[in-house]
Amino acid sequence: DQQVKQNSPSLSVQEGRISILNCDYTNSMFDYFLWYKKYPAEGPTFLISISSIKDKNEDGRFTVFLNKSAKHLSLHIVPSQPGDSAVYFCAARTTDSWGKLQFGAGTQVVVTP
Amino acid sequence: NAGVTQTPKFRVLKTGQSMTLLCAQDMNHEYMYWYRQDPGMGLRLIHYSVGEGTTAKGEVPDGYNVSRLKKQNFLLGLESAAPSQTSVYFCASSRTVEAFFGQGTRLTVV
């Protein structure tokens, strides 16, 4: 049973505009949520994380919002740049999971000029 | 600073053959993981290790074995490869929240 879901397989956005990626989860025991970015033929690279006790975390152009009551998080990229074209994975872990991550299926982002 | 290094990057196996995927990390991390990535399914955990000499099953362990004889190395073995094991395999390591991934091994079983 997939506990982390990314329901949008793809997203196309114009350069300079905002990209919003969504992620839903079912397990209320998750204590950290992470976003990873993946280019073709490379491994995922960590982008940003948020603790379950917070509702927002910002790092440069990237902001993650967490809505615990809705079991929903989103990643905002502002402004979007061509180098942001990649697959973005949402992931989550529980406190007692030895760092094991559960991943969503990913969202392919294409930033057009 | 190499981070997490996987060997090999590509491999084609015939059904029934065996092979070992090697993972090495130079960050002195306690935890190491093997994931597989399949289209439309994200990354799924195969096996993991919380320290030298320890291993445990993840979400999809069948058909795989692992060993962690040294802290910096985590080996993934396929004893008798099957076409269903065609996938991209990622090794990762972590100490706290963030996991660091290798560049992946693309395995095709024919």
Side-chain angles (χ1 to χ4, degrees), chain A:
Chain A
D1 182 29
Q2 200 165 11
Q3 299 184 25
V4 179
K5 296 181 181 180
Q6 294 176 257
N7 293 317
S8 299
S10 63
L11 172 69
S12 181
V13 64
Q14 267 191 320
E15 182 178 0
R17 306 294 289 268
I18 183 171
S19 295
I20 299 177
L21 290 76
N22 295 303
C23 180
D24 298 297
Y25 63 96
T26 57
N27 189 345
S28 58
M29 299 303 292
F30 287 140
D31 67 340
Y32 266 95
F33 302 89
L34 301 85
W35 285 93
Y36 280 83
K37 176 179 181 179
K38 185 184 178 307
Y39 293 119
E42 294 184 10
T45 55
F46 172 76
L47 202 55
I48 191 169
S49 66
I50 186 167
S51 164
S52 61
I53 63 173
K54 299 192 174 183
D55 55 18
K56 178 182 175 181
N57 188 27
E58 192 171 355
D59 184 1
R61 296 187 296 115
F62 303 92
T63 303
V64 57
F65 297 92
L66 176 62
N67 182 334
K68 286 184 67 176
S69 61
K71 292 189 172 67
H72 176 84
L73 63 154
S74 61
L75 175 68
H76 293 209
I77 307 173
V78 184
S80 298
Q81 299 174 353
D84 295 331
S85 295
V87 176
Y88 290 79
F89 290 101
C90 172
R93 48 154 265 185
T94 55
T95 307
D96 59 351
S97 64
W98 304 105
K100 295 179 292 179
L101 296 173
Q102 294 198 37
F103 285 84
T107 297
Q108 172 76 59
V109 173
V110 176
V111 180
T112 58

